[in-house]
Amino acid sequence: LEAVIDYTFRIKMLNRIEAQHETRNPASGRVMQKCGMVYEGTLRQAGMCNYGIFDVVCYSLLASEYKNKAAE
């Protein structure tokens, strides 16, 4: 994930990256947090798979936040 974030901001020069995970998989959220992503909220019953409908947790990171983190 760190390599994807770096590519997104340094090479593609995008302003925002976002990721989501199912509430039943908090380990994915910890990976996002470790990479500096910020929790934005939980979308209720926003996802669906063969197990049924589930809540989706949203994280994002802005280019300015990434640059500030890299400068530290």
Side-chain angles (χ1 to χ4, degrees):
L1 181 56
E2 287 177 343
V4 170
I5 291 171
D6 184 62
Y7 176 80
T8 299
F9 293 130
R10 278 191 332 100
I11 307 301
K12 298 303 274 184
M13 300 182 69
L14 297 179
N15 184 56
R16 174 185 165 89
I17 189 170
E18 59 186 61
Q20 302 174 345
H21 72 86
E22 184 179 345
T23 54
R24 293 179 285 192
N25 186 4
S28 291
R30 287 192 293 276
V31 170
M32 295 173 202
Q33 291 170 357
K34 185 176 178 181
C35 291
M37 299 186 82
V38 178
Y39 171 77
E40 288 198 329
T42 301
L43 304 174
R44 300 177 304 145
Q45 298 185 359
M48 187 170 135
C49 68
N50 57 342
Y51 298 115
I53 298 171
F54 57 87
D55 294 347
V56 175
V57 182
C58 302
Y59 286 85
S60 71
L61 185 63
L62 303 177
S64 59
E65 295 168 336
Y66 176 75
K67 290 174 187 170
N68 289 339
K69 181 182 169 192
E72 294 176 352

Short mmCIF file of all heavy atoms in Angstrom, two decimals:
data_model
loop_
_atom_site.label_atom_id
_atom_site.label_comp_id
_atom_site.label_asym_id
_atom_site.label_seq_id
_atom_site.Cartn_x
_atom_site.Cartn_y
_atom_site.Cartn_z
N LEU A 1 0.83 -1.19 0.00
CA LEU A 1 0.00 0.00 0.00
C LEU A 1 0.87 1.25 0.00
O LEU A 1 0.55 2.22 -0.70
CB LEU A 1 -0.95 0.00 1.20
CG LEU A 1 -1.90 1.19 1.30
CD1 LEU A 1 -2.74 1.37 0.06
CD2 LEU A 1 -2.76 1.07 2.53
N GLU A 2 1.96 1.23 0.73
CA GLU A 2 2.84 2.40 0.75
C GLU A 2 3.38 2.72 -0.65
O GLU A 2 3.47 3.89 -1.03
CB GLU A 2 4.00 2.19 1.72
CG GLU A 2 3.57 2.26 3.17
CD GLU A 2 4.71 1.97 4.14
OE1 GLU A 2 5.74 1.40 3.71
OE2 GLU A 2 4.56 2.33 5.31
N ALA A 3 3.71 1.70 -1.42
CA ALA A 3 4.21 1.91 -2.78
C ALA A 3 3.13 2.51 -3.68
O ALA A 3 3.41 3.39 -4.50
CB ALA A 3 4.73 0.60 -3.37
N VAL A 4 1.91 2.06 -3.53
CA VAL A 4 0.80 2.59 -4.32
C VAL A 4 0.57 4.06 -3.96
O VAL A 4 0.38 4.91 -4.85
CB VAL A 4 -0.49 1.76 -4.08
CG1 VAL A 4 -1.70 2.45 -4.69
CG2 VAL A 4 -0.33 0.37 -4.63
N ILE A 5 0.61 4.38 -2.68
CA ILE A 5 0.42 5.76 -2.23
C ILE A 5 1.53 6.65 -2.78
O ILE A 5 1.27 7.74 -3.31
CB ILE A 5 0.35 5.83 -0.69
CG1 ILE A 5 -0.95 5.18 -0.20
CG2 ILE A 5 0.45 7.27 -0.21
CD1 ILE A 5 -1.04 4.99 1.30
N ASP A 6 2.76 6.19 -2.69
CA ASP A 6 3.89 6.96 -3.19
C ASP A 6 3.74 7.21 -4.70
O ASP A 6 3.92 8.34 -5.17
CB ASP A 6 5.20 6.22 -2.89
CG ASP A 6 6.42 7.02 -3.30
OD1 ASP A 6 6.61 8.13 -2.73
OD2 ASP A 6 7.16 6.57 -4.17
N TYR A 7 3.41 6.19 -5.45
CA TYR A 7 3.21 6.31 -6.90
C TYR A 7 2.08 7.30 -7.21
O TYR A 7 2.20 8.14 -8.10
CB TYR A 7 2.91 4.94 -7.49
CG TYR A 7 2.61 4.96 -8.97
CD1 TYR A 7 3.64 5.04 -9.90
CD2 TYR A 7 1.30 4.93 -9.43
CE1 TYR A 7 3.36 5.06 -11.26
CE2 TYR A 7 1.02 4.96 -10.78
CZ TYR A 7 2.05 5.03 -11.69
OH TYR A 7 1.78 5.07 -13.03
N THR A 8 1.00 7.20 -6.46
CA THR A 8 -0.16 8.06 -6.69
C THR A 8 0.19 9.53 -6.54
O THR A 8 -0.22 10.36 -7.36
CB THR A 8 -1.30 7.69 -5.72
OG1 THR A 8 -1.68 6.34 -5.95
CG2 THR A 8 -2.50 8.60 -5.89
N PHE A 9 0.95 9.86 -5.51
CA PHE A 9 1.24 11.26 -5.25
C PHE A 9 2.50 11.77 -5.96
O PHE A 9 2.52 12.90 -6.44
CB PHE A 9 1.35 11.51 -3.74
CG PHE A 9 0.03 11.33 -3.03
CD1 PHE A 9 -0.07 10.55 -1.89
CD2 PHE A 9 -1.11 11.94 -3.49
CE1 PHE A 9 -1.28 10.39 -1.23
CE2 PHE A 9 -2.34 11.79 -2.85
CZ PHE A 9 -2.42 11.01 -1.72
N ARG A 10 3.55 10.97 -6.04
CA ARG A 10 4.80 11.44 -6.65
C ARG A 10 4.79 11.36 -8.17
O ARG A 10 5.24 12.27 -8.85
CB ARG A 10 6.00 10.65 -6.12
CG ARG A 10 6.51 11.12 -4.80
CD ARG A 10 7.86 10.52 -4.40
NE ARG A 10 8.17 9.20 -4.93
CZ ARG A 10 8.96 8.97 -5.99
NH1 ARG A 10 9.52 9.95 -6.64
NH2 ARG A 10 9.20 7.74 -6.39
N ILE A 11 4.28 10.27 -8.73
CA ILE A 11 4.33 10.05 -10.17
C ILE A 11 3.06 10.56 -10.87
O ILE A 11 3.13 11.33 -11.82
CB ILE A 11 4.56 8.55 -10.51
CG1 ILE A 11 5.78 8.00 -9.77
CG2 ILE A 11 4.64 8.34 -12.02
CD1 ILE A 11 7.09 8.70 -10.06
N LYS A 12 1.92 10.13 -10.40
CA LYS A 12 0.65 10.54 -11.03
C LYS A 12 0.21 11.92 -10.59
O LYS A 12 -0.63 12.54 -11.24
CB LYS A 12 -0.45 9.52 -10.72
CG LYS A 12 -0.17 8.13 -11.26
CD LYS A 12 0.07 8.12 -12.75
CE LYS A 12 -1.21 8.03 -13.52
NZ LYS A 12 -1.01 7.93 -14.97
N MET A 13 0.73 12.40 -9.49
CA MET A 13 0.45 13.74 -8.96
C MET A 13 -1.04 13.97 -8.73
O MET A 13 -1.57 15.04 -9.01
CB MET A 13 1.07 14.80 -9.84
CG MET A 13 2.58 14.63 -9.93
SD MET A 13 3.44 15.86 -10.90
CE MET A 13 3.25 17.28 -9.87
N LEU A 14 -1.71 12.97 -8.20
CA LEU A 14 -3.12 13.11 -7.84
C LEU A 14 -3.23 13.80 -6.48
O LEU A 14 -2.27 13.86 -5.72
CB LEU A 14 -3.81 11.75 -7.80
CG LEU A 14 -3.86 11.00 -9.14
CD1 LEU A 14 -4.53 9.66 -8.97
CD2 LEU A 14 -4.58 11.83 -10.19
N ASN A 15 -4.39 14.31 -6.17
CA ASN A 15 -4.60 15.04 -4.92
C ASN A 15 -5.13 14.17 -3.79
O ASN A 15 -4.95 14.49 -2.63
CB ASN A 15 -5.55 16.22 -5.15
CG ASN A 15 -5.70 17.06 -3.90
OD1 ASN A 15 -4.72 17.55 -3.36
ND2 ASN A 15 -6.93 17.22 -3.44
N ARG A 16 -5.78 13.07 -4.13
CA ARG A 16 -6.47 12.28 -3.10
C ARG A 16 -6.44 10.80 -3.47
O ARG A 16 -6.60 10.44 -4.63
CB ARG A 16 -7.91 12.77 -2.99
CG ARG A 16 -8.81 11.98 -2.08
CD ARG A 16 -10.24 12.53 -2.18
NE ARG A 16 -11.17 11.60 -1.60
CZ ARG A 16 -11.54 11.59 -0.33
NH1 ARG A 16 -11.06 12.49 0.50
NH2 ARG A 16 -12.40 10.70 0.11
N ILE A 17 -6.29 9.99 -2.45
CA ILE A 17 -6.42 8.54 -2.61
C ILE A 17 -7.38 8.07 -1.53
O ILE A 17 -7.40 8.61 -0.42
CB ILE A 17 -5.05 7.83 -2.52
CG1 ILE A 17 -5.20 6.36 -2.90
CG2 ILE A 17 -4.43 7.97 -1.15
CD1 ILE A 17 -3.87 5.64 -3.07
N GLU A 18 -8.20 7.10 -1.87
CA GLU A 18 -9.13 6.57 -0.87
C GLU A 18 -9.18 5.05 -0.96
O GLU A 18 -8.88 4.47 -1.99
CB GLU A 18 -10.52 7.16 -1.04
CG GLU A 18 -11.16 6.93 -2.37
CD GLU A 18 -12.48 7.66 -2.51
OE1 GLU A 18 -12.49 8.90 -2.43
OE2 GLU A 18 -13.50 6.97 -2.72
N ALA A 19 -9.55 4.46 0.16
CA ALA A 19 -9.66 3.01 0.24
C ALA A 19 -10.80 2.66 1.18
O ALA A 19 -11.17 3.45 2.05
CB ALA A 19 -8.36 2.40 0.73
N GLN A 20 -11.34 1.47 1.01
CA GLN A 20 -12.44 1.01 1.84
C GLN A 20 -12.20 -0.42 2.26
O GLN A 20 -11.48 -1.16 1.58
CB GLN A 20 -13.75 1.08 1.05
CG GLN A 20 -14.10 2.44 0.54
CD GLN A 20 -15.34 2.42 -0.35
OE1 GLN A 20 -15.78 1.37 -0.82
NE2 GLN A 20 -15.90 3.59 -0.57
N HIS A 21 -12.81 -0.79 3.37
CA HIS A 21 -12.77 -2.19 3.79
C HIS A 21 -14.07 -2.54 4.50
O HIS A 21 -14.80 -1.67 4.97
CB HIS A 21 -11.56 -2.49 4.67
CG HIS A 21 -11.63 -1.91 6.05
ND1 HIS A 21 -12.24 -2.57 7.09
CD2 HIS A 21 -11.16 -0.76 6.56
CE1 HIS A 21 -12.15 -1.85 8.20
NE2 HIS A 21 -11.49 -0.73 7.89
N GLU A 22 -14.34 -3.81 4.55
CA GLU A 22 -15.52 -4.32 5.24
C GLU A 22 -15.30 -4.23 6.75
O GLU A 22 -14.19 -4.47 7.23
CB GLU A 22 -15.76 -5.77 4.82
CG GLU A 22 -17.00 -6.37 5.40
CD GLU A 22 -17.23 -7.80 4.93
OE1 GLU A 22 -16.60 -8.24 3.96
OE2 GLU A 22 -18.05 -8.47 5.57
N THR A 23 -16.34 -3.90 7.49
CA THR A 23 -16.21 -3.76 8.95
C THR A 23 -15.74 -5.05 9.62
O THR A 23 -15.09 -5.00 10.66
CB THR A 23 -17.53 -3.32 9.60
OG1 THR A 23 -18.57 -4.22 9.20
CG2 THR A 23 -17.89 -1.91 9.20
N ARG A 24 -16.02 -6.17 9.01
CA ARG A 24 -15.60 -7.46 9.59
C ARG A 24 -14.13 -7.78 9.33
O ARG A 24 -13.65 -8.85 9.71
CB ARG A 24 -16.49 -8.59 9.07
CG ARG A 24 -17.93 -8.48 9.55
CD ARG A 24 -18.78 -9.59 9.00
NE ARG A 24 -19.07 -9.31 7.57
CZ ARG A 24 -19.96 -9.97 6.85
NH1 ARG A 24 -20.64 -10.96 7.38
NH2 ARG A 24 -20.17 -9.66 5.59
N ASN A 25 -13.41 -6.85 8.70
CA ASN A 25 -11.99 -7.05 8.42
C ASN A 25 -11.18 -5.84 8.94
O ASN A 25 -10.62 -5.08 8.16
CB ASN A 25 -11.77 -7.25 6.93
CG ASN A 25 -10.34 -7.60 6.60
OD1 ASN A 25 -9.51 -7.78 7.48
ND2 ASN A 25 -10.04 -7.68 5.32
N PRO A 26 -11.13 -5.67 10.27
CA PRO A 26 -10.43 -4.50 10.82
C PRO A 26 -8.93 -4.48 10.55
O PRO A 26 -8.32 -3.42 10.59
CB PRO A 26 -10.73 -4.59 12.32
CG PRO A 26 -11.04 -6.02 12.57
CD PRO A 26 -11.69 -6.53 11.30
N ALA A 27 -8.33 -5.62 10.24
CA ALA A 27 -6.89 -5.65 9.93
C ALA A 27 -6.59 -4.79 8.70
O ALA A 27 -5.55 -4.13 8.65
CB ALA A 27 -6.42 -7.08 9.71
N SER A 28 -7.49 -4.77 7.74
CA SER A 28 -7.29 -3.91 6.56
C SER A 28 -7.29 -2.44 6.97
O SER A 28 -6.50 -1.65 6.45
CB SER A 28 -8.39 -4.15 5.53
OG SER A 28 -8.24 -5.43 4.97
N GLY A 29 -8.13 -2.07 7.90
CA GLY A 29 -8.16 -0.69 8.40
C GLY A 29 -6.86 -0.33 9.10
O GLY A 29 -6.37 0.80 8.96
N ARG A 30 -6.28 -1.27 9.83
CA ARG A 30 -5.01 -1.00 10.51
C ARG A 30 -3.88 -0.76 9.50
O ARG A 30 -3.02 0.09 9.71
CB ARG A 30 -4.66 -2.14 11.47
CG ARG A 30 -5.55 -2.12 12.71
CD ARG A 30 -5.06 -3.06 13.80
NE ARG A 30 -5.15 -4.46 13.44
CZ ARG A 30 -6.24 -5.21 13.57
NH1 ARG A 30 -7.35 -4.68 14.07
NH2 ARG A 30 -6.24 -6.48 13.23
N VAL A 31 -3.91 -1.48 8.39
CA VAL A 31 -2.91 -1.26 7.33
C VAL A 31 -3.06 0.16 6.78
O VAL A 31 -2.08 0.88 6.60
CB VAL A 31 -3.07 -2.29 6.19
CG1 VAL A 31 -2.22 -1.92 4.99
CG2 VAL A 31 -2.71 -3.68 6.70
N MET A 32 -4.28 0.58 6.53
CA MET A 32 -4.54 1.92 6.01
C MET A 32 -4.08 2.99 6.99
O MET A 32 -3.44 3.97 6.60
CB MET A 32 -6.02 2.07 5.68
CG MET A 32 -6.48 1.18 4.55
SD MET A 32 -8.28 1.25 4.34
CE MET A 32 -8.56 -0.30 3.49
N GLN A 33 -4.38 2.79 8.26
CA GLN A 33 -3.95 3.75 9.29
C GLN A 33 -2.43 3.81 9.38
O GLN A 33 -1.86 4.90 9.49
CB GLN A 33 -4.53 3.35 10.65
CG GLN A 33 -6.02 3.53 10.74
CD GLN A 33 -6.59 2.91 12.00
OE1 GLN A 33 -5.88 2.30 12.79
NE2 GLN A 33 -7.89 3.05 12.19
N LYS A 34 -1.78 2.67 9.33
CA LYS A 34 -0.32 2.63 9.42
C LYS A 34 0.32 3.39 8.26
O LYS A 34 1.40 3.96 8.42
CB LYS A 34 0.15 1.17 9.41
CG LYS A 34 1.62 0.99 9.61
CD LYS A 34 2.00 -0.48 9.69
CE LYS A 34 3.50 -0.61 9.84
NZ LYS A 34 3.91 -2.00 9.90
N CYS A 35 -0.35 3.42 7.13
CA CYS A 35 0.17 4.14 5.96
C CYS A 35 -0.22 5.61 5.97
O CYS A 35 0.03 6.32 5.00
CB CYS A 35 -0.32 3.47 4.68
SG CYS A 35 0.42 1.85 4.42
N GLY A 36 -0.84 6.08 7.04
CA GLY A 36 -1.16 7.49 7.19
C GLY A 36 -2.55 7.88 6.72
O GLY A 36 -2.90 9.06 6.75
N MET A 37 -3.34 6.92 6.29
CA MET A 37 -4.68 7.25 5.83
C MET A 37 -5.57 7.63 7.00
O MET A 37 -5.37 7.16 8.12
CB MET A 37 -5.26 6.09 5.03
CG MET A 37 -4.45 5.76 3.79
SD MET A 37 -5.20 4.52 2.73
CE MET A 37 -6.36 5.55 1.84
N VAL A 38 -6.55 8.49 6.74
CA VAL A 38 -7.41 9.06 7.77
C VAL A 38 -8.81 8.47 7.65
O VAL A 38 -9.38 8.44 6.55
CB VAL A 38 -7.46 10.59 7.62
CG1 VAL A 38 -8.40 11.20 8.65
CG2 VAL A 38 -6.07 11.19 7.74
N TYR A 39 -9.36 8.04 8.78
CA TYR A 39 -10.72 7.51 8.82
C TYR A 39 -11.71 8.61 8.44
O TYR A 39 -11.66 9.71 8.98
CB TYR A 39 -11.03 6.97 10.22
CG TYR A 39 -12.47 6.58 10.43
CD1 TYR A 39 -12.96 5.39 9.92
CD2 TYR A 39 -13.33 7.40 11.15
CE1 TYR A 39 -14.28 5.02 10.12
CE2 TYR A 39 -14.64 7.04 11.36
CZ TYR A 39 -15.12 5.85 10.84
OH TYR A 39 -16.43 5.49 11.04
N GLU A 40 -12.60 8.33 7.51
CA GLU A 40 -13.60 9.31 7.09
C GLU A 40 -15.01 8.95 7.52
O GLU A 40 -15.84 9.82 7.64
CB GLU A 40 -13.58 9.48 5.56
CG GLU A 40 -12.36 10.22 5.08
CD GLU A 40 -12.55 10.76 3.67
OE1 GLU A 40 -13.27 10.14 2.87
OE2 GLU A 40 -11.97 11.81 3.40
N GLY A 41 -15.27 7.69 7.74
CA GLY A 41 -16.61 7.30 8.17
C GLY A 41 -16.96 5.90 7.73
O GLY A 41 -16.19 5.23 7.05
N THR A 42 -18.13 5.48 8.15
CA THR A 42 -18.64 4.15 7.82
C THR A 42 -19.94 4.30 7.03
O THR A 42 -20.85 4.99 7.48
CB THR A 42 -18.88 3.32 9.09
OG1 THR A 42 -17.64 3.20 9.80
CG2 THR A 42 -19.40 1.93 8.76
N LEU A 43 -19.97 3.70 5.88
CA LEU A 43 -21.17 3.70 5.05
C LEU A 43 -22.00 2.47 5.41
O LEU A 43 -21.55 1.33 5.23
CB LEU A 43 -20.80 3.68 3.57
CG LEU A 43 -19.89 4.80 3.10
CD1 LEU A 43 -19.49 4.59 1.64
CD2 LEU A 43 -20.56 6.14 3.27
N ARG A 44 -23.17 2.70 5.92
CA ARG A 44 -24.01 1.61 6.38
C ARG A 44 -24.61 0.84 5.21
O ARG A 44 -25.14 1.42 4.28
CB ARG A 44 -25.12 2.13 7.29
CG ARG A 44 -24.55 2.85 8.51
CD ARG A 44 -25.61 3.45 9.40
NE ARG A 44 -26.46 4.35 8.64
CZ ARG A 44 -27.76 4.50 8.88
NH1 ARG A 44 -28.37 3.82 9.82
NH2 ARG A 44 -28.47 5.33 8.15
N GLN A 45 -24.47 -0.47 5.26
CA GLN A 45 -25.02 -1.39 4.27
C GLN A 45 -24.68 -0.97 2.84
O GLN A 45 -25.50 -1.05 1.93
CB GLN A 45 -26.53 -1.54 4.46
CG GLN A 45 -26.88 -2.12 5.81
CD GLN A 45 -28.36 -2.37 5.96
OE1 GLN A 45 -29.16 -2.12 5.07
NE2 GLN A 45 -28.74 -2.90 7.12
N ALA A 46 -23.44 -0.55 2.63
CA ALA A 46 -23.02 -0.03 1.32
C ALA A 46 -22.34 -1.08 0.45
O ALA A 46 -22.11 -0.84 -0.73
CB ALA A 46 -22.09 1.15 1.51
N GLY A 47 -22.00 -2.22 1.02
CA GLY A 47 -21.32 -3.26 0.25
C GLY A 47 -22.14 -4.53 0.18
O GLY A 47 -23.01 -4.77 1.02
N MET A 48 -21.84 -5.33 -0.83
CA MET A 48 -22.54 -6.60 -0.96
C MET A 48 -21.61 -7.63 -1.60
O MET A 48 -20.84 -7.30 -2.51
CB MET A 48 -23.78 -6.43 -1.84
CG MET A 48 -24.65 -7.65 -1.88
SD MET A 48 -26.19 -7.25 -2.69
CE MET A 48 -26.35 -8.65 -3.75
N CYS A 49 -21.64 -8.83 -1.07
CA CYS A 49 -20.87 -9.94 -1.63
C CYS A 49 -21.68 -11.21 -1.45
O CYS A 49 -22.84 -11.15 -1.04
CB CYS A 49 -19.50 -10.04 -0.95
SG CYS A 49 -19.59 -10.54 0.78
N ASN A 50 -21.07 -12.35 -1.70
CA ASN A 50 -21.81 -13.61 -1.58
C ASN A 50 -22.18 -13.94 -0.15
O ASN A 50 -22.99 -14.82 0.10
CB ASN A 50 -21.03 -14.77 -2.22
CG ASN A 50 -19.65 -14.93 -1.64
OD1 ASN A 50 -19.12 -14.02 -1.01
ND2 ASN A 50 -19.05 -16.08 -1.86
N TYR A 51 -21.62 -13.21 0.84
CA TYR A 51 -21.99 -13.39 2.25
C TYR A 51 -23.17 -12.51 2.65
O TYR A 51 -23.71 -12.65 3.72
CB TYR A 51 -20.81 -13.09 3.17
CG TYR A 51 -19.63 -13.99 2.95
CD1 TYR A 51 -18.43 -13.49 2.48
CD2 TYR A 51 -19.71 -15.36 3.21
CE1 TYR A 51 -17.34 -14.32 2.28
CE2 TYR A 51 -18.64 -16.19 3.00
CZ TYR A 51 -17.45 -15.67 2.54
OH TYR A 51 -16.38 -16.50 2.33
N GLY A 52 -23.50 -11.54 1.82
CA GLY A 52 -24.62 -10.65 2.12
C GLY A 52 -24.20 -9.19 2.09
O GLY A 52 -23.14 -8.82 1.59
N ILE A 53 -25.04 -8.37 2.67
CA ILE A 53 -24.81 -6.93 2.72
C ILE A 53 -23.97 -6.59 3.94
O ILE A 53 -24.14 -7.19 5.01
CB ILE A 53 -26.16 -6.18 2.76
CG1 ILE A 53 -26.94 -6.48 1.47
CG2 ILE A 53 -25.97 -4.69 2.94
CD1 ILE A 53 -28.36 -5.98 1.49
N PHE A 54 -23.05 -5.61 3.79
CA PHE A 54 -22.18 -5.25 4.90
C PHE A 54 -21.88 -3.75 4.91
O PHE A 54 -22.07 -3.06 3.90
CB PHE A 54 -20.87 -6.05 4.85
CG PHE A 54 -20.10 -5.90 3.57
CD1 PHE A 54 -19.20 -4.86 3.39
CD2 PHE A 54 -20.29 -6.79 2.52
CE1 PHE A 54 -18.48 -4.72 2.20
CE2 PHE A 54 -19.59 -6.67 1.33
CZ PHE A 54 -18.68 -5.63 1.18
N ASP A 55 -21.42 -3.27 6.06
CA ASP A 55 -21.00 -1.88 6.21
C ASP A 55 -19.58 -1.73 5.64
O ASP A 55 -18.77 -2.65 5.72
CB ASP A 55 -20.99 -1.46 7.67
CG ASP A 55 -22.39 -1.44 8.28
OD1 ASP A 55 -23.37 -1.51 7.54
OD2 ASP A 55 -22.47 -1.37 9.53
N VAL A 56 -19.29 -0.54 5.10
CA VAL A 56 -18.01 -0.25 4.48
C VAL A 56 -17.34 0.90 5.23
O VAL A 56 -17.95 1.95 5.44
CB VAL A 56 -18.19 0.14 2.99
CG1 VAL A 56 -16.88 0.56 2.37
CG2 VAL A 56 -18.81 -1.01 2.22
N VAL A 57 -16.08 0.69 5.64
CA VAL A 57 -15.32 1.71 6.34
C VAL A 57 -14.43 2.43 5.32
O VAL A 57 -13.75 1.79 4.52
CB VAL A 57 -14.45 1.09 7.46
CG1 VAL A 57 -13.69 2.15 8.21
CG2 VAL A 57 -15.32 0.28 8.41
N CYS A 58 -14.43 3.77 5.35
CA CYS A 58 -13.72 4.58 4.36
C CYS A 58 -12.54 5.32 4.98
O CYS A 58 -12.66 5.91 6.06
CB CYS A 58 -14.67 5.60 3.75
SG CYS A 58 -16.11 4.86 2.98
N TYR A 59 -11.42 5.30 4.27
CA TYR A 59 -10.20 6.03 4.64
C TYR A 59 -9.73 6.82 3.43
O TYR A 59 -10.02 6.45 2.29
CB TYR A 59 -9.09 5.07 5.05
CG TYR A 59 -9.27 4.44 6.40
CD1 TYR A 59 -10.04 3.31 6.56
CD2 TYR A 59 -8.65 4.99 7.52
CE1 TYR A 59 -10.21 2.73 7.81
CE2 TYR A 59 -8.81 4.41 8.76
CZ TYR A 59 -9.60 3.29 8.90
OH TYR A 59 -9.76 2.73 10.14
N SER A 60 -9.00 7.91 3.69
CA SER A 60 -8.42 8.67 2.58
C SER A 60 -7.11 9.30 3.02
O SER A 60 -6.78 9.35 4.21
CB SER A 60 -9.38 9.76 2.11
OG SER A 60 -9.45 10.79 3.07
N LEU A 61 -6.38 9.79 2.02
CA LEU A 61 -5.14 10.51 2.26
C LEU A 61 -5.02 11.58 1.18
O LEU A 61 -5.23 11.29 0.00
CB LEU A 61 -3.94 9.57 2.22
CG LEU A 61 -2.58 10.16 2.56
CD1 LEU A 61 -2.54 10.67 4.00
CD2 LEU A 61 -1.48 9.13 2.34
N LEU A 62 -4.70 12.80 1.58
CA LEU A 62 -4.50 13.90 0.64
C LEU A 62 -3.03 14.07 0.35
O LEU A 62 -2.18 13.74 1.17
CB LEU A 62 -5.07 15.20 1.22
CG LEU A 62 -6.54 15.18 1.62
CD1 LEU A 62 -6.93 16.52 2.24
CD2 LEU A 62 -7.42 14.87 0.41
N ALA A 63 -2.74 14.62 -0.82
CA ALA A 63 -1.35 14.85 -1.21
C ALA A 63 -0.64 15.74 -0.19
O ALA A 63 0.51 15.48 0.16
CB ALA A 63 -1.28 15.48 -2.60
N SER A 64 -1.31 16.75 0.33
CA SER A 64 -0.69 17.64 1.32
C SER A 64 -0.34 16.90 2.60
O SER A 64 0.71 17.14 3.21
CB SER A 64 -1.61 18.82 1.62
OG SER A 64 -2.85 18.37 2.11
N GLU A 65 -1.19 15.96 3.02
CA GLU A 65 -0.91 15.16 4.21
C GLU A 65 0.28 14.24 3.97
O GLU A 65 1.12 14.05 4.84
CB GLU A 65 -2.15 14.35 4.60
CG GLU A 65 -3.31 15.20 5.02
CD GLU A 65 -4.61 14.43 5.12
OE1 GLU A 65 -4.77 13.38 4.46
OE2 GLU A 65 -5.50 14.90 5.85
N TYR A 66 0.33 13.67 2.77
CA TYR A 66 1.44 12.78 2.41
C TYR A 66 2.77 13.55 2.42
O TYR A 66 3.76 13.07 2.95
CB TYR A 66 1.17 12.17 1.04
CG TYR A 66 2.30 11.31 0.53
CD1 TYR A 66 2.52 10.05 1.06
CD2 TYR A 66 3.15 11.77 -0.46
CE1 TYR A 66 3.55 9.26 0.60
CE2 TYR A 66 4.19 10.99 -0.93
CZ TYR A 66 4.38 9.72 -0.39
OH TYR A 66 5.42 8.95 -0.84
N LYS A 67 2.76 14.73 1.82
CA LYS A 67 3.98 15.55 1.77
C LYS A 67 4.42 15.96 3.17
O LYS A 67 5.61 15.95 3.47
CB LYS A 67 3.77 16.77 0.90
CG LYS A 67 3.65 16.41 -0.57
CD LYS A 67 3.29 17.62 -1.42
CE LYS A 67 3.02 17.18 -2.85
NZ LYS A 67 2.45 18.25 -3.65
N ASN A 68 3.48 16.31 4.03
CA ASN A 68 3.83 16.68 5.41
C ASN A 68 4.42 15.51 6.16
O ASN A 68 5.38 15.66 6.93
CB ASN A 68 2.60 17.22 6.16
CG ASN A 68 2.17 18.57 5.68
OD1 ASN A 68 2.96 19.31 5.07
ND2 ASN A 68 0.93 18.93 5.92
N LYS A 69 3.86 14.32 5.95
CA LYS A 69 4.37 13.11 6.60
C LYS A 69 5.79 12.79 6.11
O LYS A 69 6.65 12.42 6.89
CB LYS A 69 3.44 11.93 6.33
CG LYS A 69 3.87 10.64 6.98
CD LYS A 69 2.93 9.51 6.60
CE LYS A 69 3.53 8.19 7.04
NZ LYS A 69 2.84 7.05 6.47
N ALA A 70 6.02 12.97 4.81
CA ALA A 70 7.34 12.68 4.23
C ALA A 70 8.40 13.67 4.72
O ALA A 70 9.57 13.31 4.83
CB ALA A 70 7.25 12.71 2.71
N ALA A 71 7.99 14.90 5.05
CA ALA A 71 8.92 15.92 5.50
C ALA A 71 9.36 15.71 6.95
O ALA A 71 10.37 16.25 7.36
CB ALA A 71 8.29 17.30 5.34
N GLU A 72 8.61 14.92 7.69
CA GLU A 72 8.93 14.68 9.10
C GLU A 72 10.15 13.81 9.26
O GLU A 72 10.53 13.03 8.51
CB GLU A 72 7.75 14.03 9.82
CG GLU A 72 6.57 14.96 9.92
CD GLU A 72 5.36 14.27 10.56
OE1 GLU A 72 5.38 13.05 10.80
OE2 GLU A 72 4.39 14.97 10.81
#
